[in-house]
């Protein structure tokens, strides 16, 4: 028998339950992984709350983890029992001792990256990879705006964008988080709890604004983000930490400067084994180089998954959070 976290109805963290289950043998093209560490991310709360609907209820939780291949199904050719692996794109059920998923969703984990590092960085790191390298190819000298710069994604983005030669303006909610973002490579920070973001962006860019805004906050920052963009700038809305952006009149994009908007997801970038491994290799290389450091600030036992999600949703966390089965 093994243990996992599941929920039978949508709601707050209190709907998460620790249950025992008997893992089934992996089917064709599937791999069963013995998790050594599991990542905790905002997207996990979206499935739990019902913002994103799981395939069915009751449902497992979590999409990210790292461990060792324990069993393989028929037709598995890339991986074998004993391989170190990591994953980020689901299916749901990572909050568990063991997780079975398609071989195509797994990447090989080099010895230079620990299980805890991989579980803490896969989803956020692959997200940063496609944001900075594919959605908008950041160039040396670019001045970019990144919301929640001290959070899990932001912490990695500040480091990686800085390594690419960009100047990151990061929004934060406190002086402590501003100090953290700067220590991770942010060129400047804006404390939105006491500063006007648009005015500060204008001041920092000598009135030019920025060519791209990376916004994982959602509803609360939508209009502010648009007002920080140069004409024909790109608004990258990649998350909903404050709620989903809805009821948008596309005319606002013309009014604010013929702006572009995209709502990218990791699933459409890491959409096959080759792409996912290539993105992961890029991520692992920048970590191995020392240019990006994985900062795990919160560790919880699997049984305290509800507490981990509560702290994350309340924005009382910095860096990455993991569960230890």
């Amino acid at each position: 028998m093994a243990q996992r976290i599941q929920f039978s109805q949508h709601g707050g963290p209190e709907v998460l339950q620790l249950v025992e289950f008997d893992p089934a043998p992996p089917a064709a093209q599937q791999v069963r992984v013995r998790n050594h560490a599991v990542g905790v991310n905002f997207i996990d709360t979206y499935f739990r709350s019902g913002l994103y609907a799981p395939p069915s209820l009751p449902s497992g939780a979590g999409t990210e983890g790292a461990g060792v291949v324990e069993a393989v199904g028929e037709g598995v050719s890339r991986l074998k029992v004993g391989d170190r692996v990591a994953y980020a794109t689901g299916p749901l059920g990572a909050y568990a001792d063991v997780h079975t998923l398609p071989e195509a969703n797994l990447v090989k984990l080099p010895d230079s990256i620990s299980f805890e590092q991989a579980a803490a960085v896969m989803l956020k790191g692959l997200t940063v990879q496609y944001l900075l390298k594919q959605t908008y190819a950041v160039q040396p000298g670019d001045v970019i705006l990144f919301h929640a710069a001290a959070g899990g994604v932001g912490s990695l983005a500040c480091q990686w964008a800085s390594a690419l030669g960009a100047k990151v303006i990061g929004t934060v909610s406190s002086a402590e988080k501003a100090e953290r973002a700067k220590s991770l490579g942010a060129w400047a920070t804006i404390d939105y709890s006491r500063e006007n973001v648009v005015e500060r962006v204008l001041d920092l860019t000598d009135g030019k604004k920025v060519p791209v805004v990376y916004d994982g906050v959602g509803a609360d920052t939508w209009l502010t983000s648009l007002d920080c963009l140069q004409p024909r700038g790109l608004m990258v809305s990649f998350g909903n930490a404050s709620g989903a952006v809805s009821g948008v009149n596309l005319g606002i994009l013309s009014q604010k400067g013929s702006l572009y908007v995209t709502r990218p997801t990791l699933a459409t970038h890491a959409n096959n084994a080759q792409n996912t491994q290539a993105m992961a290799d890029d991520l692992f290389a920048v970590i191995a180089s020392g240019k990006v450091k994985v900062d795990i600030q919160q560790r919880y036992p699997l049984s305290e998954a509800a507490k981990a999600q509560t702290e994350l949703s309340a924005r009382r966390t910095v860096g990455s959070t993991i569960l230890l089965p």
Side-chain angles (χ1 to χ4, degrees):
M1 299 295 289
Q3 291 186 317
R4 71 173 183 175
I5 298 292
Q6 71 176 35
F7 56 98
S8 300
Q9 61 182 350
H10 296 300
E14 70 279 357
V15 303
L16 297 177
Q17 298 177 311
L18 181 67
V19 300
E20 289 192 341
F21 74 107
D22 187 11
Q29 308 299 329
Q30 289 188 335
V31 173
R32 190 169 74 216
V33 178
R34 173 67 58 173
N35 284 329
H36 285 228
V38 175
V40 178
N41 301 282
F42 261 108
I43 195 172
D44 304 343
T45 71
Y46 302 160
F47 284 107
R48 186 209 69 223
S49 69
L51 178 62
Y52 295 170
S56 62
L57 292 176
S59 172
T63 62
E64 175 187 47
V68 175
V69 173
E70 186 175 78
V72 299
E74 183 180 355
V76 170
S77 58
R78 207 166 44 89
L79 300 171
K80 64 183 185 302
V81 172
D83 280 351
R84 304 175 78 250
V85 293
Y87 57 92
T89 57
L92 294 175
Y95 288 18
D97 294 335
V98 297
H99 188 31
T100 301
L101 61 168
E103 180 189 24
N105 292 19
L106 290 158
V107 300
K108 293 183 178 180
L109 184 64
D111 291 338
S112 58
I113 307 297
S114 72
F115 293 120
E116 290 195 4
Q117 284 179 311
V121 80
M122 276 293 289
L123 184 63
K124 292 177 279 290
L126 294 184
T127 297
V128 173
Q129 198 280 341
Y130 82 71
L131 289 175
L132 300 182
K133 295 290 196 74
Q134 301 183 62
T135 305
Y136 176 94
V138 171
Q139 301 297 316
D142 279 344
V143 180
I144 67 176
L145 179 64
F146 210 105
H147 286 296
V153 174
S155 296
L156 296 173
C158 283
Q159 298 177 74
W160 205 337
S162 178
L164 292 171
K167 293 182 176 180
V168 181
I169 302 173
T171 69
V172 294
S173 60
S174 67
E176 292 77 16
K177 289 191 174 183
E179 183 177 344
R180 173 178 169 76
K182 287 181 179 177
S183 73
L184 294 170
W187 172 64
T189 58
I190 303 172
D191 184 344
Y192 63 79
S193 69
R194 60 181 182 83
E195 296 179 287
N196 183 292
V197 174
V198 178
E199 290 179 0
R200 283 281 288 137
V201 167
L202 283 167
D203 180 54
L204 289 165
T205 61
D206 295 325
K208 295 178 182 178
K209 301 187 180 181
V210 296
V212 61
V213 175
Y214 294 103
D215 190 336
V217 177
D220 287 356
T221 50
W222 167 253
L223 290 176
T224 294
S225 293
L226 296 182
D227 285 334
C228 292
L229 283 166
Q230 299 171 358
R232 299 177 64 187
L234 177 62
M235 166 64 174
V236 183
S237 178
F238 69 93
N240 313 292
S242 67
V245 176
S246 60
V248 175
N249 179 352
L250 289 179
I252 197 172
L253 303 179
S254 64
Q255 297 166 16
K256 294 184 180 294
S258 299
L259 303 179
Y260 294 87
V261 175
T262 184
R263 181 60 176 87
T265 67
L266 177 58
T268 50
H269 289 81
N271 59 348
N272 59 50
Q274 182 178 5
N275 288 346
T276 305
Q277 187 70 59
M279 293 169 64
D281 288 344
D282 192 17
L283 171 64
F284 298 151
V286 78
I287 293 172
S289 74
K291 294 177 181 177
V292 170
K293 293 180 172 57
V294 181
D295 185 17
I296 303 170
Q297 289 285 325
Q298 297 83 212
R299 292 175 174 84
Y300 297 92
L302 181 65
S303 60
E304 294 185 9
K307 181 179 179 180
Q309 287 198 5
T310 298
E311 294 298 296
L312 183 68
S313 297
R315 302 187 188 181
R316 290 193 289 263
T317 65
V318 293
S320 295
T321 299
I322 62 171
L323 302 175
L324 300 175

